[in-house]
Amino acid sequence: MKSTQRFSPFDFRISSFQFPISSFHFRVSILAALFLLTLGPWHALAQEPPATTSAPSLLATADDVFQEMSRITGLPVRAPLKKQILSRPEIKKILEQNLHEEYTPRDIHIQESVLRAFGLVSRDFDLAKFLITFYTEQAAGAYDPRRKTMFIADWPTEEMQRLVLAHELTHALQDQSFDMSKFLHAERQNDDATSARQAVVEGYAMAAMMQLMLGSVDLANMPALGTLMASMVNNQMGEFPAFTSAPYFFRMQALFPYAQGMGFMQRGLQLGGWKKLNSLFSKPPTTTREIFEPSVYFDQQAPLPTVSLPRPPALEGVAGLKRLAENTVGELGYHSLLGQLISEDEARTVAAGWLADRFILYEGEKPDQFVLVARTRWSSAETALAFFRDYYTILSKKYPELTADKRSSADLFVGVAANGQVILLRKGDECLWAEGVPAAHSDAILNWLKSL
C-alpha cells in the first residue's frame, strides 16, 4: 500500500438549518488524517510534531502532488497553483476573515435562531465563536477558493503533508474545472441540496486522496469504505476536544460529506470510473438521501416527491412577528436532529424514511421568541407515525411545562407551552406542526395545517 496520509475536512457553510459546512470557502484538514491514522503508524496531528520539510521542498511537493491528482482524476491543470506556507495562528486569522467576509451579523443571527428554534443549542450559544474554535482545532492546511490559494500548514510531518495536499489540491482542480463557489451556492434556498453538493465535493476529494494512497490498487474494487471511515474517525476524535464535546448534531453534519460522500463516490467509480464522478458536477444529487443511499441516484429511480409549505395567512402580517427563514432540512438534517434529541439508533431507523420537507421560521420581538412551522413527508404512514411520536418527545423536552388540551388524539397533539401554542399533526404519510403560535391564532393554524 502506498504510504501517504491525511485528509481534510470541513468546507464550511452556514445555511439555515444545517451546521455551517459548505459555503464558508475554507477547508481544514483532519478527518482524512484520522481515518488514515487507523491504517498506518502515523502520529496524530493534534500533537503538532515539528515540521521536517524545508519550505522550498514543501512547495515543490505541492506542485508534484497537484500534477498527480490531475492524473488520477482526469481534471486538467488549467492554471498555475498559488500556494503559501502558514502557521496555525495565520490559518486561524484567515478562517476568521472568511467568516466575517461572507456572513453579516444578521446572517449569523438567522443561523443561530434556526438552531435554537429546533432545540439544538442553548439560548447563549455563540455560533461564530464555536465555529472558529471548532475549525481552528482541526486546521492543517486548506485550499481557499476565495483566494485561489493553497494554504499549507507549517507543522505536520512530510508524510502527513502529502495527504493534506492530495485532498486539498483535488479541491483546487475541482475549482479550476467547475467553480466550487458557484457549485456549492447553486441551491441557496435548499440546505439539503447544498449538503448533497458538499458531499460530492468532499467525497470526491476523499476518493482521490485514497486512490493516491492505494497506488495501483483500484479504489472501486476495495470493500465499502464509507461506514468504516465514519467509525474509525469517531474512535480517533478524542484528541480533538472541541469536536468531541460538540453536540451530536454538529458532529454528524461535519462527518457526513466525508464518510457518506466517500461511499457515494465509491459506487460511482464502480459504475463508470472518474469520468462518471466528473459528470456529477454537471448533474449533482439533489438530496442527502441520494448520498445515504447511492442507488437512489445511480439506479435512476423515480424522482423523490416534494412538498410545498405556503406561508400561513394567520401568521403573515402579525404585529411584532417577522419571517426569518424558509428552507429544507432533508434526511441529513432529521438524522442529526433525531440523533441528538432522541438517539442515534432512532435516527438511523426513522430518518431513512424521509422523503421531503419544508419549514418556515418567524421571530418575535422578545429574545428567543420563535414560531416554527414545518411539513414533512415520509416513506409510509407507519414511519410518519414514528416521527410524530419522536417529535412529541422532542417537544416535551423543549417545553417541560407543555400541557395537552382536549383536542389531542392519537394523530394530533394540541397543547400550551410558555412561548405559545403547540400543534403536531399526522396525516397519512405526512407530519406537520407549528410551535410558538400566538394563542389568538391557534385555531386558524390548526385548520390551516389540516387543509394542506
Side-chain angles (χ1 to χ4, degrees), residues 195-196 199-200 256 260-261 263-264 285 287-294:
S195 288
V200 168
F256 172 80
Q260 278 72 30
F264 182 84
T287 67
T288 53
R289 182 174 183 182
E290 294 162 272
I291 306 298
F292 279 112
E293 301 178 52

Side-chain angles (χ1 to χ4, degrees), residues 267-396:
R267 180 59 179 152
L269 286 172
Q270 293 165 356
L271 294 172
W274 287 95
K275 184 177 180 180
K276 183 70 172 179
L277 298 196
N278 291 336
S279 72
L280 294 172
F281 289 89
S282 58
K283 189 180 179 182
T286 58
T287 67
T288 53
R289 182 174 183 182
E290 294 162 272
I291 306 298
F292 279 112
E293 301 178 52
S295 62
V296 175
Y297 178 89
F298 289 114
D299 295 351
Q300 297 182 331
Q301 297 182 11
L304 292 172
T306 60
V307 295
S308 62
L309 186 63
R311 294 166 182 171
L315 297 179
E316 291 289 312
V318 173
L321 203 61
K322 60 182 178 181
R323 195 181 332 108
L324 198 62
E326 297 178 75
N327 221 300
T328 296
V329 172
E331 181 174 341
L332 172 60
Y334 280 111
H335 185 116
S336 304
L337 179 79
L338 292 172
Q340 178 171 324
L341 301 178
I342 301 292
S343 72
E344 293 182 40
D345 286 341
E346 188 72 0
R348 285 187 287 268
T349 300
V350 175
W354 174 93
L355 291 180
D357 79 85
R358 198 72 179 163
F359 76 85
I360 304 174
L361 180 66
Y362 296 85
E363 182 179 38
E365 295 177 326
K366 298 178 182 179
D368 289 314
Q369 181 188 1
F370 302 116
V371 181
L372 175 63
V373 181
R375 183 181 189 182
T376 60
R377 179 171 294 170
W378 303 88
S379 58
S380 67
E382 291 74 21
T383 304
L385 180 59
F387 180 78
F388 173 89
R389 291 168 175 167
D390 282 343
Y391 204 76
Y392 171 74
T393 300
I394 291 171
L395 290 171
S396 299

